[in-house]
Amino acid sequence: QVQLVESGGDLVQPGGSLRLSCAASGTIVSIYTMAWYRQAPGKQRELVASITRYGSTDYADSVKGRFTISRDNAKNTVYLQMNRLNVEDTAVYYCNADVQGIGNFRRAYWGQGTQVTVSS
């Protein structure tokens, strides 16, 4: 099967920066789109950013200009560089990947999430 593991979440002050990482492992043939979602307490999960295997990106309006998504296909890893963080960015951030695995149908996988807390 396929596993996604996020890392990099932390407590930071407003205006600070964090870099999240998500590494995929398992019997992977190909990873198509990878994305970062987030969910704040009492709110619905929302798409933050996505990136295709060829590098095309898309961002939520709330993070455009502040966040940058990137990926390393050789390492099956996606990153999210977050700059000028504010309290509204506080949430659990989840990695998502559209994966074709060996002996498996193409499907989406989720990581366990990493906590990002922005507070003074």
Side-chain angles (χ1 to χ4, degrees), residues 79-119:
Y79 307 93
L80 186 67
Q81 178 66 47
M82 305 184 294
N83 299 324
R84 306 199 309 279
L85 286 162
N86 56 62
V87 294
E88 296 178 336
D89 296 316
T90 296
V92 177
Y93 285 70
Y94 296 94
C95 179
N96 177 272
D98 182 13
V99 180
Q100 175 64 61
I102 298 176
N104 298 105
F105 294 107
R106 178 175 172 177
R107 57 154 288 187
Y109 291 85
W110 291 93
Q112 295 298 307
T114 185
Q115 177 71 51
V116 172
T117 302
V118 185
S119 177

Side-chain angles (χ1 to χ4, degrees), residues 39-90:
Q39 186 166 22
K43 297 184 178 180
Q44 293 186 332
R45 182 186 63 192
E46 64 174 345
L47 176 65
V48 177
S50 65
I51 182 169
T52 70
R53 65 178 292 103
Y54 304 107
S56 297
T57 60
D58 195 16
Y59 298 91
D61 289 340
S62 60
V63 307
K64 191 171 299 183
R66 299 188 297 122
F67 291 9
T68 302
I69 189 171
S70 61
R71 65 189 287 172
D72 185 334
N73 291 336
K75 296 181 179 180
N76 288 330
T77 300
V78 63
Y79 307 93
L80 186 67
Q81 178 66 47
M82 305 184 294
N83 299 324
R84 306 199 309 279
L85 286 162
N86 56 62
V87 294
E88 296 178 336
D89 296 316
T90 296

Side-chain angles (χ1 to χ4, degrees), residues 2-6 22-25 28 31 34 95-97 99 109-113:
V2 177
Q3 299 83 41
L4 273 60
V5 180
E6 303 100 331
C22 172
S25 62
I28 298 171
I31 302 180
M34 303 184 80
C95 179
N96 177 272
V99 180
Y109 291 85
W110 291 93
Q112 295 298 307

